[in-house]
Amino acid sequence: MTQKLIAAIRRTNRIIALLVGLVLTGSVILIIAEILLREVGISLGGAEEISGYVMAGVASWGLSFALTELAHVRIDLIRLRLKERGKAFLDLLAIVALAGVATIVAIQCWPVLSKTIERGSAANTPLETPLWIPQVIWFSGWVWFAFSACALVLLTLSLLMRRDLEQADMLVGARSELELES
């Protein structure tokens, strides 16, 4: 059961990463087109604004993929010197802290979106983008990141309760350049 949930979260985050990559590629194409068209005196208008919204969405949604691929930066100076149980404890502490921060950020994002919706706010730009649109994407990325992190906390706890330190390490363990070289 635990392995199926882990696989499902990873698979979902890989699909999200692919979609995020496609959106980012589209944004790059839009910016390149804007640059080339400006050389002949034409402007699409709004490329900078749209690329800003894309970056906010890419950042929030990309965090979950980095999490499940163990790509977040961790300082492992102490962890390297510990035995399996000590490493497992630090890994659990790290994922709990990350889940806590992600959850707090997601919770704090809601008032921003809520006020935008309540006020009907729009960008003060030629596109006059209703700001709830990019903010929903940004907010939902943070919510998904918090959900993914909290799910990993529960799955890690489940593995540790079964004393499956190896699987817990595969799920949330830090990867060191020193370990990768050997």
Side-chain angles (χ1 to χ4, degrees), residues 9 37 40 79 108 116 139 152:
I9 290 172
L37 288 172
V40 295
R79 186 183 184 276
Q108 293 301 313
T116 296
F139 170 69
L152 291 185

Side-chain angles (χ1 to χ4, degrees), residues 15-66:
I15 292 167
I16 289 168
L18 179 63
L19 293 173
V20 164
L22 290 172
V23 169
L24 191 56
T25 301
S27 179
V28 168
I29 291 168
L30 177 65
I31 291 168
I32 290 171
E34 176 73 13
I35 291 168
L36 294 175
L37 288 172
R38 282 185 183 179
E39 290 298 317
V40 295
I42 302 170
S43 175
L44 297 173
E48 305 90 358
E49 181 179 350
I50 292 169
S51 64
Y53 299 145
V54 167
M55 290 308 296
V58 164
S60 67
W61 280 97
L63 291 168
S64 295
F65 176 71

